[in-house]
Amino acid sequence: MGAEITLRDRFERGLAAPICLTWELTYACNLACTHCLSSSGRRDPNELSTDEATALIDEIAAMKIFYVNIGGGEPMIRRDFFTIVEHAVSRHVGVKFSTNGTRIDAAAARRLASTDYLDIQISIDGADALTSDAVRGAGTYDQARRAMDHLRDANFGPFKISVVMTRHNVGQLDDLAALADAYGAELRLTRLRPSGRGVDVWDALHPTAQQNRDLYRWLLDRPNVLTGDSFFHLSALGEPLEGLNLCGAGRVVCLIDPVGNVYACPFVIHDEFLAGNVRDRGFEAVWTESELFRSLREPGNPGACASCGSYDACRGGCMAAKFFTGLEMTDPDPECVFGHGETALAAKRVEIRPSPSPDHSRRTPVSLSAK
Amino acid sequence: MSLAPPVTFDAHAPWQLSAEVSLRDEAFGALAYHHGNRRLVFLKSPALVDIVRDLENYHTAADAIGAHVASSQQGAYERALASLARSEIIHGR
């Protein structure tokens, strides 16, 4: 019955299959959130077909991957969305999907409520329309709230409300928790990454050092608030937060994008972190044999963090946050709680940051009335 | 997240792995996933995985433990099973 640290070390060496597999179904999206980590907007003509998608689910089931996190883009835009979800459930692969809620009307809510092993998270980025719409677009907060109302009215049960933490909504944590309580929903908070279009807004939106400390203490008091292990870089402040507290990229998590590309995690859609494509030899071959994933499962190099007494708590932080701010993998996390990341960023004087390789952003502004 | 209903684990009663749970073997033991309550639990030793899979073949949980590990470890494995009972990974039969 090994100690917890042993288990964590095991995870860092990788598992037979991912614990957490994210699958972006489409790059198409009817919104244009400023921080979109997959730079979504336009559908890619090369996206997996319905047959390819159901075959992928069969492989996921054979690998005993218990559930997939489906996202996008807006996954409900795919006309075969329910076909894919219902196929997964029929193969005992649970589905949690992330949506902006715009396609959840009363009828869709009833259909979702009648499907077993289905979990939904609806995204808002603030406790009120003013705050949330500033990131997600005018009218999106009210649309998300209507989707929540429909799920409640359809007796869906406890869905999740998913919020990316920014410097404008950290002050609304109690209001967000109250909103979730009012729906009997679970609150899920995730970290803003400089990934995708997020690279353009990260400087202006990422929480301040003081806000990160406030968030850490708030989370410590609320172990039932979900974070997807998002804030492990804050565990360097003291007692570890709930979760595995490690970077799971290529070890316990990975991402399959709409065209079948497999990346190390949902926040690194970039050639540098591309492990392979499911169309070549299937997903399992990528997971077990990719050179990239094998190298990620080697013991990490603490680099600049080697002399820091808290390295074991934060393990140097988030790979994606470093990469897209122009830092090296051996640098501290840009939001290092001791300020070492800010020092590293200042020393680099980064002029050009890597941009995401595939950019599916729309070329023209989105009008919300357009479907 | 709702709290699990209080479950009293009696090692001298018959237990079994829940039909709603999938197990996946890993080098450290196994992952157990409960499709109903969506809990993911780590079984942190291969012996614990063997015991959990074998529970249904013994009259009591204690007998199943005794079949797989030394008596000096009986208490530790009873505590591990009690924890799995609280997560609804195993239940009485």
Side-chain angles (χ1 to χ4, degrees), chain A residues 123-327:
Chain A
S123 302
I124 52 173
D125 285 324
D128 54 56
L130 189 67
T131 312
S132 186
D133 288 3
V135 173
R136 307 184 60 81
T140 58
Y141 177 85
D142 289 338
Q143 287 183 311
R145 289 292 302 271
R146 278 197 290 278
M148 295 178 202
D149 292 344
H150 287 311
L151 289 177
R152 179 196 56 207
D153 295 346
N155 291 316
F156 176 82
F159 56 90
K160 295 177 171 63
I161 297 176
S162 190
V163 183
V164 174
M165 297 317 296
T166 69
R167 69 182 59 178
H168 303 299
N169 65 26
V170 172
Q172 302 178 330
L173 284 168
D174 289 333
D175 294 335
L176 290 164
L179 179 69
D181 281 347
Y183 280 106
E186 292 181 277
L187 181 61
R188 181 174 187 273
L189 305 178
T190 56
R191 181 179 180 187
L192 174 72
R193 268 87 168 191
S195 314
R197 287 195 294 269
V199 73
D200 298 325
V201 296
W202 186 82
D203 286 320
L205 290 186
H206 79 89
T208 64
Q210 180 59 49
Q211 287 178 324
N212 272 327
R213 286 191 288 273
D214 295 344
L215 171 62
Y216 166 78
R217 279 189 291 272
W218 193 89
L219 287 172
L220 267 192
D221 290 341
R222 292 167 186 80
N224 287 342
V225 170
L226 307 170
T227 64
D229 225 7
S230 222
F231 299 105
F232 67 93
H233 64 301
L234 302 182
S235 287
L237 285 166
E239 189 184 334
L241 295 169
E242 285 286 307
L244 301 175
N245 281 295
L246 57 84
C247 164
R251 306 171 180 108
V252 298
V253 310
C254 74
L255 170 83
I256 303 176
D257 92 338
V259 299
N261 279 336
V262 182
Y263 295 95
C265 92
F267 311 105
V268 287
I269 301 180
H270 189 281
D271 284 346
E272 192 109 350
F273 301 98
L274 175 60
N277 190 292
V278 301
R279 280 176 168 138
D280 297 337
R281 285 189 300 135
F283 173 65
E284 186 165 18
V286 178
W287 177 259
T288 55
E289 294 167 22
S290 129
E291 287 298 319
L292 172 72
F293 285 0
R294 286 185 177 186
S295 70
L296 286 171
R297 294 164 193 164
E298 296 291 321
N301 173 5
C305 303
S307 61
C308 176
S310 294
Y311 179 72
D312 197 49
C314 79
R315 306 267 167 134
C318 171
M319 189 173 80
K322 295 186 216 194
F323 181 74
F324 288 115
T325 51
L327 294 173

Side-chain angles (χ1 to χ4, degrees), chain A residues 4 16-17 64 92 117-118, chain B residues 23-24 26 35 38 40 44:
Chain A
E4 197 62 32
K64 291 199 166 188
H92 299 288
Y117 303 138
L118 187 62
Chain B
L23 288 182
R24 184 173 96 207
E26 291 286 350
H35 290 274
R38 301 193 187 109
L40 183 70
K44 297 179 195 173

Side-chain angles (χ1 to χ4, degrees), chain A residues 28-71:
Chain A
C29 191
N30 53 342
L31 303 188
C33 305
T34 60
H35 61 358
C36 180
L37 57 89
S38 56
S39 300
S40 285
R42 293 170 291 124
R43 191 181 86 84
D44 191 301
N46 205 26
E47 291 179 2
L48 299 184
S49 67
T50 306
D51 286 348
E52 286 175 313
T54 52
L56 179 58
I57 288 164
D58 293 344
E59 190 182 11
I60 286 169
M63 288 175 75
K64 291 199 166 188
I65 296 169
F66 307 125
Y67 60 93
V68 289
N69 301 299
I70 283 180

